[in-house]
Structures are given as C-alpha cells and as structure tokens.
Amino acid sequence: MTTPLAARLAALAASSGPSGPSAPSGPDDPDGPPPAPPAPETPADRPGTPTDHTHTRTPTHPPADHPQALPQVLADRPDGTVVRSGRTVAKAHAPDADPQDLAARLRIAAHPLLHGILLPPLPLTAPGGFLLLADDGRALTRWPYGSPVAPDDPDAAPWEDAARLLARLHRVDPRQLPGPVPPMRGPAKAARALTRLRGALANGPSEAVPRPLRAAAAAVEQAWYGLPPWARDEVPPPRAASLCHGDLHLGQLVRHPATDGRWLLIDVDDLGLGDAAWDLARPAAWFATGLLAPDIWTRFLTAYRAAGGPALPPHGDPWPELEVPARALTVQTAALAVAKAVTGERALDEAATAVIDACARMASMPQQLAPGGPVVR
C-alpha cells in the first residue's frame, strides 16, 4: 500500500461524511447501518481461517474504538485495502473493479430490502453517493465497523446465522431493487483463480517448479475443464434469477454493533444475479472433501432450508443443485493453494492436498468430489 493511499483511506475513515458523524446504530435502531468489511480476497477458502486480517493494538495507544485511536490497517492486498479509524472503515477496492457495477452493488446494499442482511455503506458524496474515485481511478468506499468471526474459536462460528442470512438474501426480489443489478461474480472469481495459477507457473522461481506442484496444477486444470462452461464464466449460468453474495465464507460476516450486535454479511464486490446454489458451494465443497465436519454441514443446510432458502428443495438430497458449484469452488480453492505454494516456494499443506486430491478424482470421475461421493442426509 502506498503512503498516499494509506493517508487517503485514514482520512476517509476518520471523516464524518455528508450525513454527519458515523456513529454506529445501537439496540434501538435494529435496521440501521451495520459493520464494515475486511477485504476482498481473504484466505477463507479453508474452514479453519475465516479471515487473514488481524486487529493489532499497541498498549500505549487508545482502544481502537476510541475517538483518538490511530488508524489501523485491517487488510492490505493488491485487490483490496481496508483501514479502520475508530468506528469506521475505508476500503480501496481492486484496481480493476468496475466503478459502475460497484456503484450499483452499493445502492443495493443500502436499499431497505437488504437491511438486516447486508452491511449498508456510509454515504460519501451525498445521500445515495457511496463511492469516490481516487486519482488513479481506484474506487473508495466507507463503512461502519463490525467485529469479525473469531478465527481462534471455531466452535462459535456462526454457521446457522450465515445460512439464514443467505436464505433471506436469496428471497429478495431483484425487481424491487435499484437496477440494473449486475451479474454475480462467483464464476468470474473461479476463472481468475485459474489465471493466477497459470501466471504463477509461468513466472515462478528461477528453479524449476517441483514435480508435485506441477502434478497438482495439472489435476486442477483437468478438473477445471470438466466443469460446464457457465461455471468457468464462459457463458451465462442457466439459473440466474437470485440475488447472490458471490463469495460466501466466514470472513464475510461481522457483528454490528461490534462485539455483541447481530451478524451481517459484508463485502459486496461480487454481489449480483446468479445461481443461489453458488453461495452454498464453499461449505458444500468443504463437507464433500472432508474439511468440514458432517454435523456442521447438517446444521448449515438445515438452517438454510428452515429459513426458506430457494436454492434447494425443502427436503431430500441437495446435491443435484450443489454438485457443479461445489466442484467449481473446489477447483478455485485448489488453484489458489497451488499458486501460493509456487509463488512462496513452499510445500502444500493438508487442507490444500485434500482439495487437490478432490480435483484428481473429479478429473477421473467427473461427478465425484469425495472418494465415495458426498454422503448427504
């Protein structure tokens, strides 16, 4: 992150904006503005680490929610930077983010139909103006702060809350929203993961990429080309009538007010019309590959169905709807894991090996993620 960007985000987070000070809503305002996002691409492709941003606090500084607290960098990656100042965060979105599509997503997040589901942005330029462009054209936004899922307490992970929020999101009528509603970017992110893998192999370390990593990359590529074209972002999906989050994982939930408020979904960069099953695909893929315990999967699935989620039939085997998205998320996760291993010149860990093994099975038996197929009750 450049110094000018850091300074701009810190000033933006500390500003009161056109609508006055950015105090968070309290218990008497249950549908008022909730919390703020970590950053775009968290490593939450693995169940044990919902986010990779940390909240550091120096003992000599005031608490982070103190009016005089120093700005904190919550996340800093090429595709997204987030700076916190007290109860507010400012975010610099990916340099290649389309400002028009992002502005549409921000208007949707601020719409009353999404209150209590998505974190609404804070106005920047005027009521209804939620986006600024930096001098280099990068989109900047501003949000209230909310506390994320604790990465060191997996038993407290809000799987049921996530499922209920998704069900409510999927039941929103897109025709009632300010349009045009952009397409959900889940398949685009999967395709981007493959591009990143290919780039890592082409531009890797000067020494030859180790044979195990090349074999892993080949399994990922084979599994990728076994997916239907819509899951590779080559054609529109056959079902695209639902409002979807596009990148659901535990790093996309925060409590607002911080610490004890309600759970809300954050990060609208991929929000849009698509197949609602995509939002269930990451936990489905984790379950099928053995990375998510069956009881957690059952809790998540049951909560989604009980809340009237339209992506699945209310009873019976959900796998016919989940199969393709779950395979796509498995390939995406594996591609990113191999790319990071190549770039970092390190071996694959156990979780990465599990999803790569699943890709190998998918290449030889296209309908199988798990050795005996997913056991779904």
Side-chain angles (χ1 to χ4, degrees), residues 234-257:
E234 295 174 0
V235 299
R239 298 187 302 177
S242 297
L243 183 65
C244 306
H245 182 275
D247 188 29
L248 188 278
H249 52 73
L250 292 179
Q252 306 290 34
L253 288 98
V254 291
R255 282 192 182 277
H256 185 275

Side-chain angles (χ1 to χ4, degrees), residues 158-217:
W159 287 104
E160 288 93 342
D161 295 272
R164 286 188 284 266
L165 287 168
L166 284 181
R168 292 179 59 195
L169 179 72
H170 297 163
R171 295 202 318 267
V172 171
D173 184 354
R175 296 170 298 181
Q176 305 301 314
L177 298 172
V181 180
M184 181 266 289
R185 294 182 64 248
K189 290 197 77 166
R192 191 171 68 187
L194 267 291
T195 299
R196 180 171 169 179
L197 170 59
R198 293 160 187 159
L201 291 171
N203 305 306
S206 53
E207 308 83 36
V209 174
R211 183 176 298 177
L213 292 182
R214 288 202 173 275

Side-chain angles (χ1 to χ4, degrees), residues 19-36 65 86-88 109 114-123 142-147 254-264:
S19 58
S22 57
S25 29
D28 295 331
D29 183 19
D31 290 324
D65 60 352
R87 295 170 178 157
T88 309
L114 278 302
H115 283 185
I117 303 174
L118 287 176
L119 167 70
L122 293 171
R142 185 168 162 270
W143 312 78
Y145 173 77
S147 50
V254 291
R255 282 192 182 277
H256 185 275
T259 308
D260 58 0
R262 68 171 69 184
W263 288 107
L264 292 161

Side-chain angles (χ1 to χ4, degrees), residues 57-148:
R57 184 176 294 174
T58 305
T60 55
H61 294 163
D65 60 352
H66 189 281
Q68 296 179 351
L70 295 175
Q72 294 175 294
V73 178
L74 300 186
D76 183 20
R77 304 181 194 86
D79 63 342
T81 301
V82 180
V83 173
R84 176 186 179 187
S85 179
R87 295 170 178 157
T88 309
V89 260
K91 177 175 179 177
H93 294 257
D96 61 352
D98 184 299
Q100 272 193 312
D101 284 350
L102 181 56
R105 293 181 168 106
L106 293 166
R107 289 193 297 271
I108 291 169
H111 193 276
L113 286 176
L114 278 302
H115 283 185
I117 303 174
L118 287 176
L119 167 70
L122 293 171
L124 280 174
T125 56
F130 301 108
L131 181 150
L132 287 176
L133 293 180
D135 292 340
D136 62 357
R138 195 166 180 180
L140 309 178
T141 55
R142 185 168 162 270
W143 312 78
Y145 173 77
S147 50

